[in-house]
């Protein structure tokens, strides 16, 4: 097996290759990196949808409803900061941004305070949504996947019991219309 084939068999490298090949996602990562936020990544559908597109053999990426920029900054967890960041990003790009500081999201979810972006992601509704990517100052991408990549790459939609909200899982599975967009997915509640 040559070096390139071996790289593609590694789950993380496989996803990173797909991300590198997507010019819209590269643009979004570069814009987000310029903000200089602490402990950030572009997560949820940003990575998940791309993987599901590739698993379905789609030649083009499914359009994103939004780009979830999540970060962790307990020193300024105001909603106004998120709105300011969103406003800036929307002023410099046509991409649909959603910015959320995970340092305050535990309050909305009724959880103990989160310790990091990765920790917050372990409480997200689906395991496959809890994956993100960040770009460092040298342009290198790395994944944030605290719940792993296996079920994502197997085309599953799996309830995360740590979220403690099965009703939200059922509602999201229905309202997101995932099975219409990616019909080979398997919902494993």
């Amino acid at each position: 097996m040559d070096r390139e084939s071996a790289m593609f068999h590694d789950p993380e490298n496989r996803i990173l290759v797909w991300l590198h090949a997507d010019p819209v996602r590269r643009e979004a990562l570069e814009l987000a990196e310029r903000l200089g936020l602490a402990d950030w990544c572009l997560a949820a559908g940003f990575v998940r949808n791309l993987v599901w597109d590739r698993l379905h053999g789609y030649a083009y990426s499914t359009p994103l409803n939004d780009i979830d920029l999540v970060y962790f900054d307990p020193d300024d967890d105001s909603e106004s900061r998120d709105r300011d960041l969103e406003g800036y990003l929307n002023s410099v790009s046509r991409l649909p941004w959603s910015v959320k500081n995970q340092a305050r999201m535990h309050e909305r979810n009724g959880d103990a305070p989160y310790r990091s972006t990765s920790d917050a992601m372990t409480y997200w509704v689906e395991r496959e949504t809890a994956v993100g990517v960040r770009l460092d100052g040298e342009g290198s991408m790395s994944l944030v996947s605290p719940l792993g990549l296996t079920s994502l790459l197997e085309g599953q939609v799996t309830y995360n019991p740590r979220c403690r909200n099965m009703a939200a899982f059922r509602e999201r599975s229905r309202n997101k219309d995932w099975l219409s967009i990616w019909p080979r997915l398997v919902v494993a509640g």
Side-chain angles (χ1 to χ4, degrees):
M1 179 181 305
D2 64 26
R3 184 172 172 260
E4 187 173 317
S5 296
M7 266 185 46
F8 203 71
H9 285 286
D10 176 88
E12 186 166 336
N13 284 333
R14 184 179 191 189
I15 294 170
L16 291 172
V17 166
W18 290 336
L19 286 160
H20 275 286
D22 188 307
V24 171
R25 283 176 170 80
R26 281 196 329 266
E27 174 191 350
L29 281 162
E30 290 166 6
L31 288 168
E33 191 275 329
R34 288 183 206 147
L35 296 174
L37 296 170
D39 190 14
W40 71 275
C41 66
L42 300 183
F46 188 82
V47 177
R48 180 200 63 218
N49 294 6
L50 177 67
V51 170
W52 288 348
D53 284 343
R54 296 304 168 262
L55 293 177
H56 279 74
Y58 297 166
Y60 300 100
S61 295
T62 302
L64 293 164
N65 295 331
D66 61 12
I67 295 176
D68 293 294
L69 169 55
V70 294
Y71 68 103
F72 190 84
D73 184 357
D75 295 330
D76 183 357
D77 65 356
S78 66
E79 288 185 48
S80 62
R81 181 177 185 208
D82 290 353
R83 283 192 304 272
D84 291 345
L85 290 167
E86 263 181 41
Y88 168 76
L89 290 166
N90 287 321
S91 75
V92 298
S93 81
R94 293 178 181 234
L95 300 173
W97 293 94
S98 174
V99 179
K100 298 284 187 292
N101 185 348
Q102 300 301 292
R104 75 166 186 284
M105 298 312 290
H106 68 283
E107 296 165 357
R108 181 181 81 176
N109 300 329
D111 298 325
Y114 303 140
R115 298 179 310 273
S116 66
T117 295
S118 181
D119 181 47
M121 291 167 73
T122 67
Y123 290 87
W124 289 6
V125 179
E126 307 89 21
R127 295 179 57 83
E128 298 75 21
T129 299
V131 60
V133 60
R134 63 175 53 117
L135 190 66
D136 67 22
E138 285 85 50
S140 179
M141 288 183 199
S142 61
L143 292 181
V144 179
S145 54
L147 300 178
L149 299 170
T150 302
S151 62
L152 175 64
L153 286 165
E154 291 174 350
Q156 295 181 14
V157 183
T158 312
Y159 173 64
N160 176 12
R162 194 166 191 197
C163 146
R164 300 181 324 271
N165 191 344
M166 179 59 91
F169 174 75
R170 288 188 190 112
E171 182 180 328
R172 284 173 54 84
S173 296
R174 191 174 41 256
N175 292 343
K176 296 279 189 178
D177 208 23
W178 289 329
L179 293 177
S180 293
I181 301 166
W182 300 283
R184 293 194 334 245
L185 293 178
V186 175
V187 178

